[in-house]
Amino acid sequence: MGTKEKIVQFMKEEAYKPMLKEELVKVFGISNKEIKDFYKLLDVMEKEGIIVKTRSDRYGVPERMNLIVGTLQGHPRGYGFVVPDNKDVKDIFIPSQDLNGALHGDRVIARVISRGFGGKSEEGEIIRILERANKTIVGTFEKSKYFGFVVPDDNRISMDVFIPKAEINGAKTNQKVVVEITKWPEKRRNPEGRIIEILGYKGDVGTDILAIIKKYGLTEEFPEKVLKEADNIPEEIPEEEINRRLDLRDKNIFTIDGIDAKDLDDAVSIERLKNGNFKLGVHIADVSYYVKEKSHLDKEALKRGTSVYLVDRVIPMLPKKLSNGVCSLNPGVPRLTLSVFMEIDKQGRVVDHEIVESIIQSKERLVYTDISNLLENDDEELKKRYSHILEDLKAMEELCNILRKKRENRGSIDFDFDEAKIILDENGKPIDIKKAERRIANRIIEEFMLVCNETVAEYMYWSQIPFVYRIHEDPDEEKINEFNKFIHNFGYHLKGIQQIHPKELQNLLKKVEGTKEETVINTLMLRSLKKARYSAEPDSHFGLAARYYCHFTSPIRRYPDLQIHRIIKAFINGELKGSKIEKLKKKLPHVAEQSSIRERIADEAERETEDLKKVEYMSERLGEIYEGIISGVMPFGIFVELDNTIEGLVHISTLVDDYYIYDEFNHSFIGERTKKTYKIGDVVKVKVMKADIDKREIDFIFVE
């Protein structure tokens, strides 16, 4: 146990009373030589929020002092919630007058000032800001005679930033800018800043996406030293590297991806064995051969954590030389891979497996749409075109169905959400929005990657090697209880909600399939579950009903996959011993945490660019009439989702034919006089009235 852990353990003891640092020195028997380092350690622990120093300079742990350490989630109306580091503690509500200068995203310490009753959150006040999240803020500049101010794009930052005249630096009204904070807010005083970058006028082509990129701290350009390292990677694979690997270049191996994909990191192969089983090969780009640990490429990849797929561009984790070049499993060229061969029986059980370093040469670059048309529609032309792999494709379809059935039987939850496919013209303007297809070819690759990830995770778990797992913790009983109350309105009921099994939720999804309420129940179920994350500690994946799971199949675009490729290669080559294992144990929690943080940021940025383009698309269609389904009912209005996945609000003030009463329990509005009802799942017709690009909001009105 390290000194940090010993200090925390000591302070958590019931008999402990907050002590001065001089008293702690005596307790821990710190020598005169070590005092400086000990005091530095206390300072570091205080900055991290592990321990707290009181006004009388005494130290203790937050939980023994009625304090909560966590991250502030701001709200557009000025208040916020502290999301505790300790996952077992509930969020704390912070009124606007008790934020004390904290902004959205800041790491803070809050004091609990009143306990929550009747389902309400505990209330608190911010007493200390440990770390500022927003060194810079992106927003719209407004200029007046003697000063300016920036209205943040992120509405969770509810304060404008004051800009002194000397710090305007040429910015003009209605321009999107990046402002650096020079003075942090205090009670009743806004933050101050200076303009460090002008992105362009609001509404100009590309400016809004650029603002989102800056807002989330995404970096399109790679540092010079990273690009130099990438440029020095040779195109040719050395002969000695080929000779030490399993050579699969003559095998029927191919990729299946979307038509626009450029970073092809997974290829597949299949054989029918004499015993009736399948031999499935999943071949993943060996990025770790090129991206060496502690290199500039590696440090930059960990910093980014993931590639980000925005609506009009990809911000890759690795430079194009790797992501679209030497690592991408392009057809007809030799590529280094890590191959997982799995023998799978007719019940979908993996009865044997092998992981090897390999070299492949993809025979085809297949596209989801073509292969789906071939398998679903028996397309004659495509059958001729792919006659040399037709039997393989049919075997893959058969195995896919077996694996899917096996997952269903154990209770894996398959959310079949409609995703938007946004078509842009050459200027980035949205010209069409439709549902993205998820057909048999997509499902084949999904099932093969899932079974591969599970197989690898289970193998490494039983090998007792430090590893990065993909975990999905069991849901909170309270949230499931609320969800159960909601579905009761539609005549559904969950059993065993104290320790809900994923199979119970999966059964509900089957029951609602094809009904009017399907989308809203799917959405609310998803919100009732926790978010999946990366962890150095093994835990199950609730949503997949999987005991072991990891991300192994996308090392070009996800850092955890790259990290575990290194671990697996070292392990199968007998290089993981003693000090290497200890180093991994120390390193992996940081890798897991950083990757989880970057994934959340990427998700938010991707969602915001989609929302932006949806509002832009509807801003050109004011007055047009669409059919949609009521997807949500709130006291202020009714949300309606169109067939193309776009959602808008019918504000309660526009319902003028009667006085409508909000029925919270039944999630509906009922006309007082006419008894006309609007409830979730109803099919309605709406007219587009307003599309506010700044707020990312679409307003509808009902039409008969």
Side-chain angles (χ1 to χ4, degrees), residues 165 190 238 263 267 343 384 503 624 682:
K165 195 173 186 179
N190 284 30
D263 48 355
E343 185 181 338
K384 278 183 202 165
K503 196 166 184 69
E624 290 189 14
D682 284 353

Side-chain angles (χ1 to χ4, degrees), residues 242-292:
I242 293 171
N243 293 337
R244 69 170 208 87
R245 289 177 178 250
L246 179 64
D247 194 338
L248 302 169
R249 285 177 289 181
D250 61 333
K251 300 289 181 194
N252 244 2
I253 295 172
F254 44 80
T255 61
I256 313 178
D257 287 276
I259 196 162
D260 302 324
K262 292 182 177 68
D263 48 355
L264 314 179
D265 46 16
D266 56 87
V268 287
S269 61
I270 200 161
E271 285 176 59
R272 291 184 190 270
L273 302 176
K274 285 178 183 173
N275 61 5
N277 291 349
F278 297 91
K279 185 179 182 182
L280 172 66
V282 174
H283 314 276
I284 306 298
D286 186 359
V287 180
S288 64
Y289 173 80
Y290 298 102
V291 180
K292 303 298 184 194

Side-chain angles (χ1 to χ4, degrees), residues 468-534:
V468 179
Y469 295 90
R470 179 72 169 172
I471 68 168
H472 187 210
E473 291 135 317
D474 291 357
D476 290 327
E477 189 185 325
E478 194 179 314
K479 283 195 172 178
I480 289 294
N481 207 5
E482 284 300 309
F483 176 64
N484 198 27
K485 283 179 191 169
F486 171 75
I487 62 172
H488 186 71
N489 301 312
F490 299 97
Y492 303 110
H493 180 70
L494 295 173
K495 293 177 200 153
I497 57 174
Q498 282 77 17
Q499 278 189 306
I500 192 88
H501 190 277
K503 196 166 184 69
E504 185 66 16
L505 298 177
Q506 184 216 62
N507 288 338
L508 175 64
L509 290 184
K510 281 184 180 172
K511 284 177 190 170
V512 302
E513 198 174 335
T515 64
K516 292 190 295 182
E517 61 268 16
E518 179 182 10
T519 302
V520 70
I521 286 180
N522 281 5
T523 305
L524 286 174
M525 184 191 292
L526 189 62
R527 285 180 194 159
S528 304
L529 303 178
K530 292 183 178 175
K531 278 190 166 69
R533 62 184 177 89
Y534 297 105

Side-chain angles (χ1 to χ4, degrees), residues 27 50 187 288 346 399 435 562:
V27 168
I50 298 167
K187 269 202 168 184
S288 64
K346 286 289 175 74
L399 178 57
K435 286 178 185 173
L562 170 57

Side-chain angles (χ1 to χ4, degrees), residues 547-590:
R547 180 69 194 88
Y548 316 97
Y549 197 66
C550 70
H551 274 170
F552 166 83
T553 51
S554 293
I556 291 177
R557 62 183 182 90
R558 290 189 304 228
Y559 193 84
D561 307 52
L562 170 57
Q563 176 65 61
I564 68 177
H565 274 225
R566 288 196 188 113
I567 296 168
I568 290 164
K569 282 169 65 177
F571 177 61
I572 62 178
N573 289 317
E575 295 165 7
L576 267 188
K577 295 187 176 77
S579 63
K580 278 193 175 180
I581 286 178
E582 289 311 307
K583 275 182 188 171
L584 268 181
K585 280 181 183 173
K586 284 181 183 170
K587 178 185 179 178
L588 295 186
H590 170 65

Side-chain angles (χ1 to χ4, degrees), residues 364-390:
E364 290 283 354
R365 191 265 194 248
L366 303 177
V367 175
Y368 287 135
T369 310
D370 284 350
I371 303 310
S372 294
N373 286 339
L374 187 157
L375 294 171
E376 290 171 359
N377 307 333
D378 211 26
D379 187 296
E380 287 300 329
E381 200 177 312
L382 289 167
K383 275 164 72 176
K384 278 183 202 165
R385 164 75 180 85
Y386 296 119
S387 58
H388 58 301
I389 55 168
L390 186 58

Side-chain angles (χ1 to χ4, degrees), residues 114-380:
S114 73
R115 297 288 164 193
F117 297 105
K120 287 190 174 179
S121 299
E122 290 185 325
E123 201 167 297
E125 63 173 338
I126 306 295
I127 63 159
R128 194 168 305 164
I129 295 160
L130 297 170
E131 190 183 347
R132 290 289 188 177
N134 308 284
K135 308 286 190 298
T136 60
I137 288 173
V138 176
T140 305
F141 181 71
E142 298 288 337
K143 191 177 180 183
S144 69
K145 196 172 179 183
Y146 300 109
F147 62 88
F149 58 90
V150 173
V151 181
D153 280 359
D154 191 339
N155 63 6
R156 294 170 297 186
I157 301 170
S158 56
M159 294 174 138
D160 297 344
V161 184
F162 175 80
I163 313 292
K165 195 173 186 179
E167 304 290 8
I168 288 172
N169 296 329
K172 294 181 173 62
T173 293
N174 266 344
Q175 283 184 330
K176 290 279 182 192
V177 297
V178 182
V179 54
E180 181 183 58
I181 304 298
T182 53
K183 279 186 190 171
W184 295 106
E186 291 170 9
K187 269 202 168 184
R188 298 184 192 85
R189 203 200 77 188
N190 284 30
E192 266 185 45
R194 65 188 184 92
I195 306 296
I196 58 168
E197 194 174 352
I198 297 165
L199 305 177
Y201 278 99
K202 194 171 81 170
D204 280 0
V205 173
T207 298
D208 287 329
I209 295 275
L210 186 57
I212 291 169
I213 288 168
K214 297 286 182 182
K215 171 181 167 180
Y216 288 100
L218 306 175
T219 313
E220 290 192 88
E221 300 78 23
F222 285 91
E224 197 57 47
K225 54 193 175 185
V226 173
L227 290 173
K228 198 172 178 184
E229 221 169 61
D231 287 341
N232 288 335
I233 291 171
E235 296 279 346
E236 298 296 315
I237 300 166
E239 203 60 41
E240 61 269 23
E241 187 59 33
I242 293 171
N243 293 337
R244 69 170 208 87
R245 289 177 178 250
L246 179 64
D247 194 338
L248 302 169
R249 285 177 289 181
D250 61 333
K251 300 289 181 194
N252 244 2
I253 295 172
F254 44 80
T255 61
I256 313 178
D257 287 276
I259 196 162
D260 302 324
K262 292 182 177 68
D263 48 355
L264 314 179
D265 46 16
D266 56 87
V268 287
S269 61
I270 200 161
E271 285 176 59
R272 291 184 190 270
L273 302 176
K274 285 178 183 173
N275 61 5
N277 291 349
F278 297 91
K279 185 179 182 182
L280 172 66
V282 174
H283 314 276
I284 306 298
D286 186 359
V287 180
S288 64
Y289 173 80
Y290 298 102
V291 180
K292 303 298 184 194
E293 205 163 1
K294 293 182 181 173
S295 64
H296 294 306
L297 275 166
D298 183 46
K299 286 172 185 169
E300 183 67 16
L302 177 57
K303 186 177 158 190
R304 292 175 180 236
T306 180
S307 295
V308 187
Y309 294 83
L310 302 179
V311 75
D312 68 337
R313 71 194 79 184
V314 177
I315 300 176
M317 181 177 83
L318 297 168
K320 277 185 182 173
K321 170 77 181 276
L322 289 104
S323 61
N324 298 0
V326 293
C327 294
S328 188
L329 307 181
N330 302 325
V333 288
R335 288 289 184 248
L336 299 179
T337 44
L338 206 50
S339 293
V340 182
F341 288 104
M342 292 157 280
E343 185 181 338
I344 303 172
D345 68 14
K346 286 289 175 74
Q347 284 71 48
R349 292 179 298 222
V350 178
V351 294
D352 195 14
H353 82 274
E354 182 188 16
I355 306 175
V356 291
E357 291 177 275
S358 54
I359 181 168
I360 69 162
Q361 190 158 313
S362 172
K363 296 292 177 281
E364 290 283 354
R365 191 265 194 248
L366 303 177
V367 175
Y368 287 135
T369 310
D370 284 350
I371 303 310
S372 294
N373 286 339
L374 187 157
L375 294 171
E376 290 171 359
N377 307 333
D378 211 26
D379 187 296
E380 287 300 329

